[in-house]
Amino acid sequence: MALSIELMRRDSVTPDDKQCQEVLVERLKPLNFDCQFMYFGDEHASGSSAQVKNLWARRGSSDPVICFAGHTDVVPTGNVDNWAIPPFEPTVKDGYLWGRGAADMKTGIAAFTVAVENFVNNHPNHNGSIAMLITSDEEGPSINGTVKVVETLEARNEKITYCLVGEPSSTNTLGDIIKNGRRGSLGGILTVTGKQGHVAYPHLAINPIHVLMPALAEFSNTEWDQGNDFFPATSMQISNINGGTGANNVIPETVEVVFNFRFSTETTEEELRTKTHEIFDKHFSDNEATYKIDWKLSGHPFLTAESKLVDACKVAIKEVTGIDTILSTSGGTSDGRFIAPTGAQVVELGVRNATIHQVDEKVEIDDIGKLAQIYEKMLEALLLD
């Protein structure tokens, strides 16, 4: 727990690492880890840097490579007056460790660091390699973090065999759920352009909201796929609609719709784009209003089905907690989406996620030690004969 507290004291609001990664290096170097900081992003002419700091640390040079992945950045606290305990003054109370990063995910990082220390001390001549990939750009735009580290590793043909992402995956009790995949995320901003005018003279204007409505009805009621044994059906959700000048007597020129697909392995990014354009092309082909869509892919879906890594997770969880874990692909995205396309087996396993991103974030103290035990047993299963 001491390492968790040391990390949580640092107000590493994304993308500022606040020397958290240096703390980890101090623990890893005595274990003969080769530690490399990787910086990505813009560097200003003034000499100040907006670069994101990442850590790639590796012990060993042979396969298989088991990598623990995580992030030291945390989300903003909001109004600190709303916290019962100051967010960056980690506090032990009522069986919990309280503070920002308690669940997401500094205790996870601490747990796998301690697990690695114990494993290496007990098995200094283990097979394969152990690695850590730590970023400070997971809670932000995620463009100068894990994705760039993976690109660097791929360029030098350095492959990860197994990846354990220490995100808070558990729901009701530690280890009850592990994530063995995630849905893809494809976002879009739809802009419909008509002609502004006076509401009393609609024949002299083109109302983009009126033109949009039937197309949007079909778009929101379309079935994209039916999912499969591992994934629910692809869903599309509209998150924002903006249009109008604020006046009740003006027909607006434009309306903007923000939407997002969370998609399964039953469909592809290209299929979703094509089908979306088919819907809007049909409704706008005979209309003077026009539309455009700005697309952004945040990640493809990935899946690690039954595998050596999944089996190691299941057995370790059972030995430490006595429960049978459930495989799930629900929830949002994680940095696993950048690692899985390289061919690595990827799972997410961490503490309970009940208070992530909330005021008074906390985690059960006992779970931190148990999680370290689970990680250590996984290392034993994957790197010992």
Side-chain angles (χ1 to χ4, degrees):
M1 188 171 65
L3 180 55
S4 296
I5 291 174
E6 186 173 3
L7 294 172
M8 288 169 58
R9 282 199 180 109
R10 299 171 183 268
D11 56 340
S12 54
V13 176
T14 189
D16 196 338
D17 174 67
K18 288 294 180 76
Q19 307 296 304
C20 287
Q21 292 173 28
E22 278 81 356
V23 172
L24 299 177
V25 169
E26 289 178 3
R27 305 284 290 252
L28 296 175
K29 277 195 171 181
L31 302 175
N32 295 319
F33 272 80
D34 178 19
C35 300
Q36 178 184 0
F37 290 116
M38 297 184 182
Y39 297 88
F40 302 103
D42 297 328
E43 191 163 7
H44 301 305
S46 64
S48 64
S49 176
Q51 292 185 311
V52 169
K53 184 169 67 177
N54 306 277
L55 172 64
W56 172 250
R58 178 168 174 171
R59 183 184 197 273
S61 58
S62 61
D63 294 332
V65 179
I66 178 166
C67 173
F68 291 95
H71 60 91
T72 52
D73 59 324
V74 297
V75 295
T77 62
N79 187 346
V80 295
D81 292 336
N82 293 332
W83 288 67
I85 295 170
F88 296 110
E89 295 179 16
T91 301
V92 174
K93 181 181 177 183
D94 301 329
Y96 290 88
L97 175 60
W98 302 68
R100 178 58 87 221
D104 192 10
M105 56 162 290
K106 289 182 176 179
T107 56
I109 292 175
F112 60 61
T113 301
V114 170
V116 167
E117 289 175 329
N118 292 339
F119 176 78
V120 170
N121 287 333
N122 291 329
H123 310 284
N125 300 314
H126 61 80
N127 299 326
S129 303
I130 305 172
M132 287 192 191
L133 196 169
I134 309 295
T135 185
S136 58
D137 182 39
E138 197 273 348
E139 298 291 8
S142 299
I143 58 176
N144 290 311
T146 299
V147 62
K148 292 289 181 64
V149 176
V150 170
E151 288 174 0
T152 301
L153 297 177
E154 286 288 288
R156 62 195 195 196
N157 199 31
E158 192 169 359
K159 292 285 189 179
I160 296 170
T161 312
Y162 311 112
C163 182
L164 191 291
V165 185
E167 290 282 4
S169 64
S170 304
T171 300
N172 296 315
T173 188
L174 179 68
D176 60 349
I177 290 177
I178 60 175
K179 307 288 185 180
N180 67 322
R182 291 285 194 170
R183 294 175 294 176
S185 177
L186 175 64
I189 300 176
L190 166 71
T191 303
V192 177
T193 302
K195 182 180 179 182
Q196 184 174 306
H198 197 296
V199 296
Y201 302 93
H203 59 289
L204 299 178
I206 303 170
N207 193 322
I209 297 176
H210 289 192
V211 175
L212 172 65
M213 289 173 66
L216 207 58
E218 180 176 349
F219 184 48
S220 58
N221 288 309
T222 295
E223 180 181 83
W224 306 95
D225 61 48
Q226 296 183 338
N228 54 36
D229 290 342
F230 294 98
F231 289 92
T234 293
S235 69
M236 188 285 299
Q237 291 295 312
I238 294 168
S239 56
N240 289 275
I241 299 179
N242 299 294
T245 65
N248 69 354
N249 60 350
V250 178
I251 294 171
E253 180 181 25
T254 62
V255 60
E256 181 181 272
V257 179
V258 181
F259 63 90
N260 180 267
F261 288 101
R262 294 301 166 103
F263 62 104
S264 74
T265 51
E266 288 296 302
T267 192
T268 66
E269 171 200 359
E270 292 76 16
E271 290 170 339
L272 292 174
R273 290 188 186 217
T274 297
K275 196 168 182 178
T276 296
H277 280 287
E278 287 175 353
I279 292 171
F280 287 99
D281 286 346
K282 178 175 65 177
H283 287 273
F284 282 81
S285 59
D286 297 324
N287 202 294
E288 294 183 53
T290 61
Y291 84 91
K292 70 171 184 176
I293 301 175
D294 295 318
W295 295 95
K296 180 182 179 182
L297 177 70
S298 296
H300 292 286
F302 69 89
L303 176 69
T304 298
E306 296 294 335
S307 64
K308 190 170 183 178
L309 178 59
V310 170
D311 289 343
C313 285
K314 287 181 174 180
V315 171
I317 292 169
K318 182 73 171 180
E319 289 182 0
V320 174
T321 69
I323 66 173
D324 295 312
T325 194
I326 296 173
L327 302 180
S328 172
T329 61
S330 64
T333 58
S334 79
D335 277 359
R337 70 189 187 273
F338 303 126
I339 301 168
T342 68
Q345 297 178 26
V346 179
V347 299
E348 298 172 29
L349 168 59
V351 297
R352 292 206 311 131
N353 54 27
T355 61
I356 59 174
H357 294 203
Q358 295 182 18
V359 168
D360 292 332
E361 183 179 349
K362 62 183 179 179
V363 67
E364 290 86 344
I365 294 171
D366 288 347
D367 285 355
I368 304 173
K370 289 180 181 177
L371 185 61
Q373 293 177 43
I374 291 171
Y375 290 155
E376 186 177 354
K377 288 184 179 297
M378 291 176 61
L379 285 168
E380 293 171 352
L382 295 169
L383 296 182
L384 298 180
D385 290 328

